Amino acid sequence: MRKTHAAGAVLAGALLLAGCGANPSESQGAVGDNSSSSAPAAATHAKDQALFDRLPDKVKTAGKLVSVNNGSFPPYEIAGTDGKTLTGAAAELADELGGLLGVKIEHVTVDGLPSQLTGIAAGRYDLALGPVGDFPDRQVSNDFVDWVQEFVVFAVPKGNPKKIQSIADTCGLRISVMAGGSAEKVIKAQSDTCVKDGKKKVEVQSYKDQPTSILAVRSSRADGFFSSQAPLTYFVKQSGGELELAGTGQANGFDTLYQGAVVAKDSPLRDVLKDGIQQLIDDGTYEKVMTKWGTNGNMLKKAGVNLAAKQ
């Protein structure tokens, strides 16, 4: 019982450090909330009439776009405990993009990446500003407007006791990942490779969000957390010296990895978002925001559509 109470205390601390509470199954903050103002959020960018005119009529009438997130991808997306508020690099870019498009971009938090992607494909949400990993299999039902290049590494206990230098070093280890994410697929494939090579399989621990995945490492239930470098850098900085990055500078089972906004397949929003984000890149707003949140090493010079298919 004492261990259970201690684990609960660690979980509470991890969620606090991550800047977000446990994700609700779905927040109704933006969806179906008639009390919410449709006026554009305060932003430095004035409305670009040409971009506004290209928006779907229902968006122009509503005066808003609903962007879905899972609330646990710092420093891009850090959801408040109410499931309605969002801070981070993506939130700031959303405010600027909304000003440029002449609409408000509202945020709704759901439980996990699969719920995001299926909700967008079904038309429940207009987009996920993300960034969400762009992969060819995900492009079957959705289109991606890529604005980030990412790398996948490990967060491990200080000193890297298991000596993880790349994904090849994970045989026989306990590795946490986010359920439904690309890292989960890659680490499971690595486990199969380990077995084929006569080594012990990887014990893959799949969790619904980033805070719970990092908690597994901090509470010694996992030997490492395999995920995107930007959020892991954030968690390492917030750990008070308990964690460090490992496996940096390695492919770790991935080709060039792009991340971006997600819309339904062939949505008219796709090219409007691409041009709007490109304006933010060209005028320096994007670099300013990315630098502020420590993600300037992940910047792209040009926004692109479905870049994963063009490698």
Side-chain angles (χ1 to χ4, degrees):
M1 183 67 68
R2 185 174 299 170
K3 289 183 179 180
T4 300
H5 289 164
V10 175
L11 175 58
L15 292 174
L16 179 61
L17 286 172
C20 61
N23 293 338
S25 58
E26 181 178 83
S27 162
Q28 294 299 323
V31 179
D33 184 353
N34 294 325
S35 66
S36 179
S37 171
S38 61
T44 61
H45 284 81
K47 174 181 175 181
D48 183 307
Q49 189 64 45
L51 287 176
F52 177 82
D53 290 344
R54 292 167 57 191
L55 292 171
D57 289 340
K58 68 173 184 177
V59 174
K60 289 187 282 189
T61 299
K64 68 179 181 181
L65 288 165
V66 177
S67 179
V68 63
N69 66 83
N70 68 16
S72 60
F73 196 52
Y76 293 108
E77 297 177 331
I78 307 169
T81 55
D82 60 359
K84 302 177 184 180
T85 56
L86 194 73
T87 58
E92 292 194 16
L93 287 172
D95 287 343
E96 297 298 341
L97 183 61
L100 198 59
L101 297 178
V103 298
K104 182 178 181 180
I105 297 181
E106 295 185 347
H107 304 285
V108 57
T109 299
V110 297
D111 195 359
L113 179 61
S115 295
Q116 288 180 263
L117 296 178
T118 56
I120 293 167
R124 181 160 176 75
Y125 315 111
D126 297 309
L127 74 153
L129 186 57
V132 175
D134 176 4
F135 297 95
D137 59 333
R138 292 180 179 172
Q139 295 172 11
V140 174
S141 299
N142 300 101
D143 280 331
F144 289 77
V145 179
D146 298 316
W147 54 275
V148 164
Q149 180 178 349
E150 190 49 277
F151 311 91
V152 181
V153 299
F154 297 87
V156 299
K158 190 69 175 180
N160 193 6
K162 298 297 183 179
K163 308 301 179 186
I164 300 175
Q165 302 301 325
S166 74
I167 195 172
D169 299 325
T170 58
C171 298
L173 300 186
R174 302 164 301 166
I175 303 297
S176 63
V177 292
M178 277 188 66
S182 56
E184 180 186 51
K185 180 179 179 180
V186 169
I187 199 68
K188 285 182 176 180
Q190 175 60 32
S191 183
D192 291 340
T193 298
C194 292
V195 173
K196 289 178 182 178
D197 291 343
K199 301 177 182 179
K200 292 183 178 180
K201 69 177 183 179
V202 181
E203 181 185 311
V204 180
Q205 302 176 5
S206 301
Y207 299 101
K208 70 176 183 178
D209 56 30
Q210 297 265 356
T212 311
S213 301
I214 204 73
L215 168 64
V217 181
R218 297 187 67 179
S219 61
S220 300
R221 288 183 286 113
D223 299 309
F225 174 27
F226 187 46
S227 190
S228 298
Q229 184 167 305
L232 292 194
T233 299
Y234 175 90
F235 283 119
V236 166
K237 288 180 179 178
Q238 296 292 321
S239 72
E242 292 183 15
L243 304 174
E244 65 181 63
L245 295 181
T248 58
Q250 305 295 321
N252 289 324
F254 288 87
D255 294 320
T256 302
L257 178 59
Y258 295 102
Q259 296 179 336
V262 188
V263 296
K265 194 66 181 176
D266 298 322
S267 168
L269 281 175
R270 184 190 65 193
D271 293 337
V272 181
L273 289 175
K274 181 178 73 69
D275 292 345
I277 292 172
Q278 189 61 49
Q279 284 199 38
L280 297 181
I281 293 174
D282 292 342
D283 69 17
T285 301
Y286 168 79
E287 182 177 7
K288 180 179 178 180
V289 172
M290 294 287 279
T291 300
K292 172 183 175 180
W293 289 94
T295 54
N296 47 308
N298 303 94
M299 295 191 302
L300 291 178
K301 293 183 178 180
K302 288 190 176 296
V305 172
N306 296 334
L307 293 180
K310 298 178 181 178
Q311 296 180 44

